[in-house]
Amino acid sequence: MKNAKLISIISIVLAVVLLACGAVLGFDRGSDIGGTYVLSVQLNEKFQVKDIEAIMKEAGATGCIVQTVQKTTVNEFDAGEGVLISFEVEDDTKAQEVADKAQQLISDKYFLAFPGEFEFFSSTFNRQTAIKMWPVAIVFIALLAYAFIRFGLKMGLTFILDMFIPTAITAGLIAIIGIKVTNFTIPALLIVMALSFMFTFVFAMLLKDYKTKYSIEEAFNTAIKQVSSMALIVSLITIVAFTVLLIIGSALIKNFAIVTIMGVAINMATIIYVLPSLANNKKA
């Protein structure tokens, strides 16, 4: 491939620059999208779920789920049951004010057995979350080690670069755009890394097999065409699915959907345009 080395260098430099921008600008570890506010109350009268939902909406919540420990899908609750109201708020809305207003509105309609308890269950990404991710890191290291053993040093480096480039570019754009980093962001980046590994693995398998049947050039071109087609189809299906999730999903998963869509699109471009350059520089 013409200019293969130039494309590889530009891609790596772009990934490093964007990742550096992320480090300089910093990542917004938000809590508004990444967590759930919970109001616990106990009512001494029967009540309908739809009534509580209407009250929460009037109080300023953007969405809520009403449930108890024993019941999660019924439309009516008995008197005396403890109720958990999980709700979300807009970025500029104070959750405590929403909870206070909701309690007042609920007490106006029903009798509260005791004052409600307001809590926040955060899924904001932090150091403790990072420490808990060590099993995932071990899995990826094991997969890369397997790739090095099976396909050799040069192809193993292609695996690393092909996983690093889309992930680094996505992470850099997250910081530049200002997307909040929460526990929902990390699985999205892991999806990008997993897809990168999968497509590169398929390419390496095809190339190894075709080398026994065709010339190196023909084997390389055939493997690239098949993997590029596969990456295009899988990526487009994934993007469509997560776009639907972005449209109809709650605020708690919009972060996950946005980062996944962005990362999968970047990964698709990497597989189609950059992988041939990286592999071409490394092929024997």
Side-chain angles (χ1 to χ4, degrees):
M1 173 184 276
K2 294 182 179 180
N3 300 320
K5 185 172 293 186
L6 179 61
I7 294 175
S8 300
I9 294 173
I10 291 175
S11 302
I12 296 171
V13 170
L14 178 62
V16 172
V17 169
L18 287 176
L19 192 61
C21 287
V24 173
L25 295 175
F27 294 94
D28 183 3
R29 294 187 297 174
S31 59
D32 54 332
I33 294 179
T36 301
Y37 298 96
V38 177
L39 179 62
S40 306
V41 296
Q42 182 175 333
L43 309 181
N44 280 355
E45 301 177 32
K46 286 187 177 181
F47 65 93
Q48 299 284 331
V49 169
K50 62 180 181 180
D51 294 334
I52 301 298
E53 291 176 344
I55 288 174
M56 294 304 299
K57 184 176 181 180
E58 183 180 349
T62 58
C64 74
I65 299 175
V66 182
Q67 61 185 22
T68 66
V69 176
Q70 293 81 15
K71 302 176 183 179
T72 58
T73 59
V74 297
N75 294 319
E76 183 178 82
F77 292 94
D78 297 325
E81 287 193 271
V83 182
L84 299 177
I85 306 173
S86 306
F87 66 95
E88 305 160 25
V89 297
E90 296 290 351
D91 292 1
D92 56 351
T93 303
K94 293 183 179 180
Q96 182 65 64
E97 295 179 0
V98 173
D100 292 340
K101 185 176 181 180
Q103 286 191 74
Q104 183 60 49
L105 293 172
I106 292 174
S107 64
D108 290 343
K109 188 175 180 65
Y110 304 100
F111 176 75
L112 286 175
F114 58 83
E117 296 181 3
F118 174 69
E119 298 176 276
F120 173 67
F121 293 90
S122 173
S123 61
T124 300
F125 186 74
N126 50 40
R127 183 175 297 179
Q128 291 183 342
T129 305
I131 293 175
K132 292 178 181 178
M133 290 181 62
W134 65 265
V136 178
I138 291 177
V139 169
F140 274 103
I141 292 173
L143 289 173
L144 287 173
Y146 175 75
F148 272 92
I149 294 171
R150 178 157 187 173
F151 302 110
L153 177 62
K154 292 183 178 181
M155 185 57 71
L157 292 175
T158 300
F159 272 87
I160 292 177
L161 290 174
D162 216 28
M163 294 173 66
F164 169 75
I165 290 173
T167 306
I169 292 175
T170 303
L173 290 177
I174 288 172
I176 294 172
I177 297 173
I179 299 175
K180 297 182 183 299
V181 177
T182 71
N183 288 351
F184 292 94
T185 311
I186 308 308
L189 292 176
L190 291 177
I191 288 175
V192 176
M193 295 177 65
L195 286 175
S196 297
F197 183 90
M198 180 186 72
F199 293 136
T200 309
F201 186 85
V202 172
F203 167 75
M205 288 285 292
L206 291 174
L207 183 60
K208 186 175 182 179
D209 180 52
Y210 290 156
K211 278 183 177 181
T212 63
K213 304 175 182 178
Y214 313 111
S215 65
I216 293 179
E217 194 69 28
E218 189 176 359
F220 177 83
N221 292 333
T222 304
I224 282 295
K225 288 180 180 178
Q226 292 188 9
V227 171
S228 296
S229 299
M230 176 185 174
L232 181 63
I233 294 172
V234 172
S235 299
L236 289 178
I237 292 174
T238 304
I239 290 172
V240 170
F242 276 89
T243 298
V244 174
L245 190 63
L246 178 64
I247 295 172
I248 68 175
S250 67
L252 293 175
I253 56 176
K254 286 185 183 295
N255 174 280
F256 176 55
I258 291 172
V259 176
T260 301
I261 291 171
M262 185 168 63
V264 169
I266 295 170
N267 181 65
M268 177 178 65
T270 302
I271 295 298
I272 294 175
Y273 297 107
V274 181
L275 174 60
S277 304
L278 293 173
N280 190 63
N281 287 325
K282 311 259 183 239
K283 67 179 183 178

